[in-house]
Amino acid sequence: MPASVTHVYRRHIRFADTDAAGVAHFSRLLVIIEEALHDFFQSRGLPILDAATAWPVVSIHADYSSGCRFQDEITVSLSMDKIGTSSLGFSFAAAKADGSACFGGVATLCHIDPALHAPAPIPEKTRNALGAGSV
Amino acid sequence: MPASVTHVYRRHIRFADTDAAGVAHFSRLLVIIEEALHDFFQSRGLPILDAATAWPVVSIHADYSSGCRFQDEITVSLSMDKIGTSSLGFSFAAAKADGSACFGGVATLCHIDPALHAPAPIPEKTRNALGAGSV
Amino acid sequence: MPASVTHVYRRHIRFADTDAAGVAHFSRLLVIIEEALHDFFQSRGLPILDAATAWPVVSIHADYSSGCRFQDEITVSLSMDKIGTSSLGFSFAAAKADGSACFGGVATLCHIDPALHAPAPIPEKTRNALGAGSV
Amino acid sequence: MPASVTHVYRRHIRFADTDAAGVAHFSRLLVIIEEALHDFFQSRGLPILDAATAWPVVSIHADYSSGCRFQDEITVSLSMDKIGTSSLGFSFAAAKADGSACFGGVATLCHIDPALHAPAPIPEKTRNALGAGSV
């Protein structure tokens, strides 16, 4: 596996992302992290939603540095840190023009065995598309 | 069909419903209207989400009277005004302690024919559960 | 006022826009309509959220033609049909690659008088920015 | 500080909480955790949103055990584990009828100094309302 696979995703905070404190709701920033993840998968030609899976988030953690306001541009830097047997681990940092917004990590499952309803090994072609290859 | 079938649903505005203007986002009030609709179906023993349908909203209109703030209790009064061949029509009024929040109407399809991918007639047992009977 | 002022806005359906029926939730399509509206205001150099207002939606209606799926690109065509004393009226049509998604109309207030907590006339410079001028 | 302060909050998964994988979106489960937190504050007579703060989430982590479907009742058990100088730390476990949904922790700031735009010590009366008292 390469030392580091990084992906950058950008979008602005929309009005419906904000809350009555005047900033993006913490849950909406995590939605933006998921968008970054999906953007990464799409950039690798991987299907995101099909009969077997939807790359479910199985673990997430985030620390919030500073509020993001309506129309702020958010830049998410996503690093694929770990390719497990059946899951991927990413770290992320989201920044706005004047500094950090939040940072953390997220893990996602690749493939749910439709018969077993349980995580299945990441298929070889998916590993290859992710730049991980076989070892 | 009875002159009027009315259903009342209440819930508070949650923080994640609000936006940076300090009030519930207009789209979240419509989510509350859908909750009222689902609560009505559930009160009649009707399944809401199954292989054939999810009572999709096919038309909605709303006029907003006054902003709803975090923790305001919203009371939705839903009236089933029309039972069509394949759809239902409702009018709604949402109020908070100090007056009207919004009012409007919503139409929803009952049953999607899985083969035709098109609206199918409302089944007789659903009509009965809705208090509409056959004529 | 010009015969027609039209604005086009595009974005893809994100995973968090979808619901368990497998399509974008009806309320999330209305969020996309609001994004189109804000994009229009921004293209005219108008502030969207300030001390006096946030262009609140005061009325909306929509008819849904066909479900939008995850990753579908939605193209919103927005037409400013009416410039009132204190509000603007728009019609919209949202389409995806294979046909209509939804269409309808939305009205929004420009300016809330901070003292009166009531709609105030649209300022002259806003009318000019909207291409409406004075008559 | 008492050994443990626990609060229980329940609500059903609504349709707008779900996504195209057929389960509650991971971000919406975190919204339910915030609702539990706000319900706890309200049960202690504490204001949640005022001029000085909105109890912003500054850190969150969650592990997801199993998907929650539309209409599932979710029971959140919240434990206040830590009362810091300016923040509170909670652990949470969310369960549905047939087992665990997710578990994790969340930290929130009490009071933002309006002049300094920085966390301020938790006021004594807030500490008392939380059952923490002074030492």
Side-chain angles (χ1 to χ4, degrees):
Chain A
M1 166 181 169
S4 162
V5 176
T6 299
H7 186 75
V8 174
Y9 173 78
R10 287 189 179 85
R11 77 122 146 132
H12 289 84
I13 300 294
R14 276 80 176 255
F15 193 61
D17 294 320
T18 64
D19 62 33
V23 294
H25 191 262
F26 79 91
S27 71
R28 294 298 301 174
L29 285 177
L30 301 185
V31 165
I32 295 175
I33 301 305
E34 185 185 55
E35 291 174 17
L37 203 58
H38 289 173
D39 195 61
F40 168 68
F41 292 142
Q42 196 170 19
S43 74
R44 299 301 170 116
L46 291 168
I48 299 171
L49 179 66
D50 60 22
T53 193
W55 292 100
V57 168
V58 287
S59 176
I60 195 159
H61 65 94
D63 286 276
Y64 296 86
S65 316
S66 168
C68 298
R69 297 194 171 267
F70 175 51
Q71 297 185 310
D72 279 355
E73 189 186 43
I74 306 303
T75 301
V76 178
S77 300
L78 198 64
S79 295
M80 189 170 64
D81 296 334
K82 188 187 160 214
I83 303 190
T85 306
S86 57
S87 70
L88 303 176
F90 295 83
S91 58
F92 61 81
K96 48 185 183 158
D98 58 355
S100 172
C102 70
F103 56 93
V106 57
T108 180
L109 280 182
C110 171
H111 185 75
I112 310 291
D113 185 300
L116 301 177
H117 297 288
I122 299 174
E124 194 63 25
K125 67 175 181 181
T126 302
R127 300 179 75 87
N128 288 337
L130 290 167
S134 56
V135 188
Chain B
M1 171 182 168
S4 163
V5 177
T6 299
H7 186 75
V8 174
Y9 173 78
R10 286 190 179 84
R11 76 120 145 134
H12 290 83
I13 299 295
R14 275 80 178 256
F15 194 61
D17 296 318
T18 64
D19 62 34
V23 294
H25 192 263
F26 80 91
S27 72
R28 294 298 300 172
L29 284 177
L30 301 185
V31 165
I32 295 175
I33 301 304
E34 185 185 57
E35 291 173 17
L37 203 58
H38 289 173
D39 195 61
F40 167 68
F41 292 141
Q42 197 170 19
S43 74
R44 300 300 170 117
L46 291 168
I48 299 171
L49 180 66
D50 61 24
T53 193
W55 292 100
V57 168
V58 289
S59 177
I60 196 159
H61 65 95
D63 287 276
Y64 297 86
S65 317
S66 168
C68 299
R69 297 193 170 269
F70 175 50
Q71 297 185 310
D72 279 354
E73 188 185 43
I74 306 302
T75 301
V76 178
S77 300
L78 200 64
S79 295
M80 188 170 65
D81 296 334
K82 188 186 160 215
I83 303 190
T85 305
S86 57
S87 69
L88 302 176
F90 295 83
S91 59
F92 61 80
K96 47 185 185 157
D98 59 355
S100 172
C102 70
F103 56 94
V106 57
T108 181
L109 280 182
C110 170
H111 185 75
I112 310 291
D113 185 300
L116 302 176
H117 296 290
I122 300 175
E124 194 63 25
K125 67 175 180 181
T126 303
R127 300 179 75 88
N128 289 335
L130 290 167
S134 56
V135 187
Chain C
M1 171 182 166
S4 162
V5 176
T6 298
H7 186 75
V8 174
Y9 174 78
R10 287 189 179 84
R11 75 121 146 132
H12 290 84
I13 300 293
R14 275 79 177 257
F15 193 61
D17 294 319
T18 64
D19 63 33
V23 293
H25 192 263
F26 80 91
S27 71
R28 294 299 300 174
L29 285 178
L30 301 186
V31 165
I32 295 175
I33 301 305
E34 186 185 55
E35 290 173 18
L37 202 58
H38 288 174
D39 195 60
F40 167 68
F41 291 141
Q42 196 170 20
S43 74
R44 300 300 169 116
L46 291 169
I48 299 170
L49 180 65
D50 61 22
T53 193
W55 292 100
V57 168
V58 288
S59 176
I60 196 157
H61 65 96
D63 286 277
Y64 297 86
S65 318
S66 168
C68 298
R69 299 195 169 268
F70 176 50
Q71 296 184 311
D72 280 354
E73 188 186 43
I74 306 302
T75 301
V76 179
S77 300
L78 199 63
S79 296
M80 189 170 64
D81 297 333
K82 188 186 160 216
I83 303 190
T85 305
S86 57
S87 70
L88 302 176
F90 295 83
S91 58
F92 61 81
K96 46 185 187 160
D98 58 355
S100 172
C102 69
F103 56 94
V106 58
T108 180
L109 280 182
C110 170
H111 185 73
I112 310 291
D113 185 299
L116 301 176
H117 297 289
I122 300 175
E124 195 63 24
K125 68 174 180 183
T126 303
R127 300 179 74 87
N128 289 336
L130 290 167
S134 56
V135 188
Chain D
M1 170 181 166
S4 164
V5 177
T6 299
H7 186 75
V8 174
Y9 173 78
R10 287 189 179 85
R11 76 120 145 134
H12 290 83
I13 299 294
R14 274 80 177 256
F15 193 61
D17 295 319
T18 64
D19 62 33
V23 294
H25 192 262
F26 80 92
S27 72
R28 294 298 301 174
L29 285 177
L30 301 185
V31 165
I32 294 175
I33 301 304
E34 185 186 56
E35 290 174 16
L37 202 58
H38 288 174
D39 194 61
F40 167 68
F41 291 142
Q42 196 170 20
S43 74
R44 300 301 169 118
L46 291 168
I48 299 170
L49 180 66
D50 61 23
T53 193
W55 292 99
V57 168
V58 288
S59 176
I60 196 159
H61 65 95
D63 286 276
Y64 296 86
S65 316
S66 168
C68 298
R69 297 193 172 268
F70 175 52
Q71 297 185 310
D72 279 356
E73 188 185 44
I74 305 303
T75 301
V76 178
S77 300
L78 199 64
S79 295
M80 187 170 65
D81 297 334
K82 188 187 160 215
I83 302 191
T85 305
S86 57
S87 69
L88 302 176
F90 295 83
S91 59
F92 62 80
K96 47 185 184 158
D98 59 354
S100 173
C102 69
F103 56 94
V106 58
T108 180
L109 280 182
C110 171
H111 186 74
I112 310 292
D113 186 300
L116 302 175
H117 296 289
I122 301 175
E124 193 64 24
K125 67 175 179 180
T126 302
R127 301 179 74 86
N128 289 336
L130 290 167
S134 56
V135 187

